[in-house]
Amino acid sequence: MIRKRKDIVTLEQFIIQQEQNFPYATGQLSKIIRDIVLAARMVNREVNKAGLVDIIGLTGDINAQGEDVQKLDIFANEQMIDALFKGNMVCAVGSEENDDFLIKEGSRGRYIVLMDPLDGSSNIDVNVSIGTIFSIYRRGGLDEALTKEDLLQAGTRQVAAGYILYGSSTMLVYTTGNGVDGFTLDPSIGEFLLSHKDIRFPKSCSIYSVNEGNYRDFFDGTKEYLRYIKRDMESPYSSRYIGSFVADFHRNLLKGGIFMYPGTHQRPNGKLRLTFEANPMALIAEQAGGYASDGRKRILEILPEDLHQRTPLFVGNKEEVLKLEEFIRNSGYGTSTENLND
Ligand code: AHG
Ligand code: MN
Ligand code: MN
């Protein structure tokens, strides 16, 4: 007997419902989400057979940040760029895997997409969750040339952001500034189904996620906060760190937690990128009742000067990130060498 499942909503149905709520929506943004999902399906297919075919391993190339590039990074990058440009709604794409913006000449697309096509790539060949992160901005008037101000906007100006998590199941989580919803891919029908409606951070924080191997190089405020949550609290938090930002963020979003990638004395701006990683997750966090900070200020208000700019990042339950900011403030230190001097 087939039990009737109630209230199944596909991503497509959800998008149509959302558009009906906003009668002036042109449908262009929805088209971009669909294009991203199309590319993500292709990536998902390759991720699932990563151990079977000769797709893992180094290509020998170095990406814009001087790091090793794995084949799946390139595959994901190409699929995303292809889907976005063929979709015709996007005039420029900025990717972690490309030094500079890719501009589609003559495009009438009103949108700009920034992305980390494959996040957590060091986890590919050990069968651990990885993801794709995207962030969507609107450009100025179509009749004026694309400017630096169009390409490098503050995170507050994102019109949508999301991620696809290739985990024990594949999920899409995204926001268009009206809350956060999560969809799980049903592989048997190839559709994303609404599985997590209106995601909010749980009230309490119970997890901290940080690469504590770097502890001795953290600035004092970060160290003091970590000492506090480990030694001074009545019931200490659990430590969970996967090393794939998407996966760490996703777990903390559902269970309550703080993710940290602090600056260190060697790397005052940390490791993660403002445009590809911090901003999209900051928007999702805020839309889910959380908060993201560089230790001193709101991530979303930082005006990027460079596409590949890095930032220290603390994101998760709002009260927890505010507490961390207080520790940094009270330590008299900022999160970077530059901050130390002011
Ligand atoms: P990417 O694979 O896109 O280069 O990102 C890797 C990032 C991020 O996913 C993760 O949070 C972080 O690197 C882990 O860094 P450490 O190994 O230094 O902890
Ligand atoms: Mn990444
Ligand atoms: Mn990446």
Side-chain angles (χ1 to χ4, degrees), residues 85 88-93 102-105 107-113 139 142 146 151:
F85 279 160
N88 270 331
M89 303 298 151
V90 171
C91 59
V93 175
L102 304 170
I103 312 279
K104 192 175 175 196
E105 291 306 328
S107 167
R108 302 287 294 167
R110 289 181 180 276
Y111 293 90
I112 296 156
V113 174
R139 64 173 290 184
L142 277 176
L146 206 54
L151 296 171

Side-chain angles (χ1 to χ4, degrees), residues 73 96-97 116-121 277:
D73 296 62
E96 186 194 74
E97 298 300 336
D116 179 353
L118 208 74
D119 173 68
S121 45
E277 291 164 321

